[in-house]
Each structure stands twice: as C-alpha cells, then as structure tokens.
Amino acid sequence: MPVSSLLVRTASGETARVAETLSALPGVTVSDRADDSLVVITETDDSRSGRLLDEEIGAIPGVITATLVYHNFEDQEAEPCLTV
C-alpha cells in the first residue's frame, strides 16, 4: 500500500475549506495546517491510484500547489511496465 505525504499550499482564506474537501476523500488525512498550507497523508492501493489522487488534490479549487514530499511503496508488488 503506497503511502505519500504532500505539502498543499492554498489560496489565502481557503485553507479550512480545502482541508474539509481533502478530509472527505477516501485515503486522505489532513495531518497539520499552518497559515495557507496543509500537510496531507495519502494511502492508496497502488502507485497509479496514488498519482491519480495527487492530481485530484491539485485540481481542488483553492489549491495553489500540491507538492509530493515523501512516497513509500516498498511493500507493493511490481506493477507491469509500460511498453512504448
């Protein structure tokens, strides 16, 4: 199960609303908040789902940036590689 940590920067005055929206998403925990920033922990079934969740977080209205800080996926089975 991949676990990630993101630093989410929000527009001024939007932090509480964004935190509420994030907390409603499955696999997302808002662990800390300060000024216009949130520390977010995500847990997903696989890396692909994690990437999609990161994109979903970045698209939430009021989110300026969602920066990946930490990603652990060592207990995950190997995913098939894409062939080009």
Side-chain angles (χ1 to χ4, degrees):
M1 174 174 289
V3 176
S4 298
S5 174
L6 296 100
L7 177 63
V8 177
R9 303 268 318 199
T10 64
S12 183
E14 295 291 318
T15 306
R17 188 189 57 73
V18 170
E20 185 177 318
T21 302
L22 290 170
S23 294
L25 295 174
V28 175
T29 303
V30 177
S31 67
D32 199 8
R33 101 178 49 176
D35 299 325
D36 296 332
S37 299
L38 301 165
V39 176
V40 176
I41 309 298
T42 64
E43 294 183 45
T44 56
D45 292 331
D46 53 55
S47 292
R48 182 177 185 280
S49 297
R51 286 189 304 273
L52 292 174
L53 182 56
D54 291 352
E55 290 174 12
E56 183 177 355
I57 289 170
I60 292 172
V63 171
I64 296 172
T65 60
T67 305
L68 181 66
V69 176
Y70 175 80
H71 181 67
N72 183 333
F73 56 92
E74 65 190 47
D75 65 343
Q76 182 177 337
E77 292 182 27
E79 292 181 23
C81 296
L82 295 175
T83 55
V84 187

